[in-house]
């Protein structure tokens, strides 16, 4: 089967991590897989090496004018990918986001999570990418239920896999280097942006430091298509007001990320909107205590393996417990949960779905 998987970016976002891992697992299962993406800012490849069994097609996407709006960038992204992509050679065209779904026409679409946009171009892109694909995959039942309630769509639920061994078997010396650099720390991965609950995490950290003054907050990641400069400015102002100094690492090289995660004393995941929580599942694979926002989707995915909090006060209390109450049973439950989510299983379920829709 000839399969095209399409993504809007080469950067290390959750949907892009999903696309590459799924592509590699499909290729391992004997399929002919090509991954297409826009190469922003001169990128000629993805954030990490891709298995040579997977073909990679990067469509150059040069920077626009300095005053280009997010809406204009979205429209230009769609037009650029549409002009480059020919669906003819493929049995399956599978878009992983609203930009690629708008660009390629008839396709299967994975809806990782649902957003609510106010920018007209983004709102229209989001809506078309839900209603126009002929079949849909969701990474959790909670998102599938949202699609059923909002659009009357029936979707296939196929959870993410996780690279368990990569996060569970990090080199002690690599973990020690992060510890030497950062000391005791709570980690979050995903950058500073509204959907990730970054302002609430600041409030949480200020409360946590009252009981754990030596613990640092470390934030990794942050590559995004959207312009969150105003939100970042508000975040920086609030950090000064609270008297806290989180460590914002920005994007971390892919080969260094597992040790950074494994060396953390706890992992915070206060997102306001998620479809699965791949970064949090990677933390469980590494044996790191996990504290997440109390959302239905995260209850569904993580169950007894995580601690839950609805407010900054709740999250701070749960993080404090995670730092002091080393719970072997919860850690074992987290590792067991992560081992059950394999990319090979996800790939086989995708293949079964593709064949049912061919």
């Amino acid at each position: 089967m000839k399969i095209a998987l399409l993504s809007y970016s080469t950067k290390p976002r959750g949907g892009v991590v999903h696309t590459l891992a799924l592509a590699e697992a499909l290729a391992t299962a004997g399929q002919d897989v090509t991954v297409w993406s826009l190469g922003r800012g001169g990128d000629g490849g993805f954030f990490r090496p891709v298995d040579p069994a997977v073909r990679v097609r990067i469509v150059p996407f040069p920077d626009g004018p300095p005053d280009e709006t997010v809406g204009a960038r979205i429209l230009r992204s769609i037009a650029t990918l549409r002009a480059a992509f020919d669906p003819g050679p493929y049995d399956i065209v599978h878009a992983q986001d609203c930009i690629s779904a708008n660009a390629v026409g008839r396709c299967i679409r994975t809806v990782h999570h649902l957003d609510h946009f106010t920018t007209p171009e983004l709102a229209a892109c989001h809506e078309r990418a839900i209603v126009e694909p002929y079949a849909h995959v969701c990474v959790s039942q909670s998102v599938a239920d949202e699609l059923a309630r909002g659009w009357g769509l029936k979707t296939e639920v196929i959870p993410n896999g996780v690279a368990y061994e990569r996060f569970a078997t990090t080199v002690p010396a690599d973990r020690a280097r992060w510890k030497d650099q950062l000391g005791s720390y709570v980690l979050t991965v995903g950058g500073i942006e509204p959907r990730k609950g970054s302002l609430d995490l600041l409030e949480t950290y200020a409360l946590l430091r009252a009981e754990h003054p030596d613990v640092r907050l470390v934030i990794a990641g942050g590559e995004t298509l959207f312009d969150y400069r105003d939100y970042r400015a508000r975040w920086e102002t609030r950090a000064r007001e609270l008297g806290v100094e989180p460590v914002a690492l920005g994007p971390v090289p892919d080969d260094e990320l597992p040790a950074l995660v494994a060396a953390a004393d706890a992992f915070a995941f206060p997102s306001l909107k998620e479809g699965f929580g791949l970064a949090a599942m990677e933390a469980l694979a590494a044996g790191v205590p996990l504290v997440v926002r109390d959302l239905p989707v995260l209850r569904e995915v993580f169950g007894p393996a995580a601690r839950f909090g609805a407010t900054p006060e709740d999250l701070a209390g749960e993080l404090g417990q995670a730092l002091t109450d080393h719970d072997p049973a919860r850690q074992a439950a987290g590792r067991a949960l992560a081992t059950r989510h394999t990319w090979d299983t996800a790939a086989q379920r995708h293949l079964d779905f593709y064949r049912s829709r061919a």
Side-chain angles (χ1 to χ4, degrees):
M1 185 178 290
K2 296 195 72 172
I3 302 165
L5 298 180
L6 296 106
S7 175
Y8 75 99
S9 176
T10 58
K11 307 297 186 184
R13 301 290 292 183
V16 182
V17 172
H18 167 107
T19 303
L20 295 183
L22 175 60
E24 291 168 334
L26 287 168
T28 298
Q31 307 308 306
D32 185 339
V33 185
T34 304
V35 175
W36 287 76
S37 183
L38 294 171
R40 302 177 185 279
D43 279 357
F46 282 95
F47 67 93
R48 67 163 176 84
V50 180
D51 188 321
V54 175
R55 294 185 181 89
V56 173
R57 299 289 182 265
I58 305 298
V59 180
F61 187 77
D63 292 338
D67 60 348
E68 184 177 45
T69 64
V70 171
R73 193 178 313 131
I74 294 294
L75 295 178
R76 190 164 61 91
S77 298
I78 293 168
T80 301
L81 187 55
R82 179 183 293 143
F85 179 73
D86 176 11
Y90 300 105
D91 302 304
I92 294 292
V93 175
H94 188 169
Q96 297 290 327
D97 52 78
C98 75
I99 289 173
S100 59
N102 274 257
V104 301
R106 188 175 188 273
C107 67
I108 294 172
R109 163 82 197 283
T110 291
V111 181
H112 292 274
H113 66 272
L114 290 167
D115 284 306
H116 300 283
F117 295 115
T118 56
T119 302
E121 297 90 344
L122 275 171
C125 172
H126 185 265
E127 183 70 13
R128 285 193 302 268
I130 291 174
V131 302
E132 293 185 359
Y134 71 89
H136 301 77
V137 176
C138 293
V139 294
S140 63
Q141 186 62 51
S142 295
V143 178
D145 291 344
E146 286 187 79
L147 285 175
R149 289 192 301 268
W151 289 269
L153 293 172
K154 182 179 179 181
T155 61
E156 185 76 5
V157 176
I158 306 177
N160 279 316
V162 64
Y164 179 83
E165 293 299 327
R166 185 168 123 82
F167 285 86
T169 58
T170 54
V171 177
D174 293 339
R175 297 196 300 272
R177 278 195 290 273
W178 283 113
K179 277 294 188 191
D180 291 344
Q181 178 181 337
L182 298 169
S184 176
Y185 62 95
V186 171
L187 177 68
T188 193
V189 174
I192 298 165
E193 58 184 76
R195 185 171 70 85
K196 295 299 182 182
S198 302
L199 279 169
D200 275 359
L201 185 55
L202 273 183
E203 305 290 339
T204 297
Y205 180 45
L207 293 167
L208 181 67
R209 283 200 54 183
E211 298 294 329
H212 301 272
D214 295 329
V215 172
R216 305 177 86 171
L217 173 62
V218 176
I219 303 165
E223 289 286 359
T224 178
L225 174 65
F226 305 111
D227 183 358
Y228 293 132
R229 282 176 293 185
D230 290 346
Y231 185 87
R232 177 67 179 257
R234 288 168 53 204
W235 184 88
E236 291 172 349
T237 298
R238 186 58 180 149
R240 289 193 294 271
E241 291 170 350
L242 292 169
V244 296
E245 297 181 359
V247 179
L249 296 175
V252 174
D254 186 63
D255 59 351
E256 297 179 23
L257 181 63
L260 173 68
V261 173
D265 294 88
F267 193 94
F269 202 67
S271 295
L272 298 167
K273 176 73 71 172
E274 285 291 340
F276 180 86
L278 183 54
M281 190 66 75
E282 291 168 344
L284 291 184
V288 177
L290 174 64
V291 178
V292 306
R293 178 86 66 174
D294 197 351
L295 302 177
V297 63
L298 299 181
R299 287 275 182 183
E300 173 196 338
V301 173
F302 295 107
R307 298 174 182 271
F308 296 87
T311 66
E313 291 79 9
D314 295 340
L315 290 164
E318 294 297 333
L319 281 168
Q321 287 292 315
L323 291 172
T324 57
D325 179 16
H326 300 289
D327 186 344
R330 196 187 299 268
Q331 183 187 53
R335 288 191 186 273
L337 178 64
T339 61
R340 293 198 294 271
H341 287 81
T342 73
W343 285 113
D344 288 343
T345 298
Q348 187 56 58
R349 291 194 58 190
H350 275 84
L351 281 174
D352 293 342
F353 185 61
Y354 294 159
R355 289 167 180 146
S356 75
R357 304 299 297 188

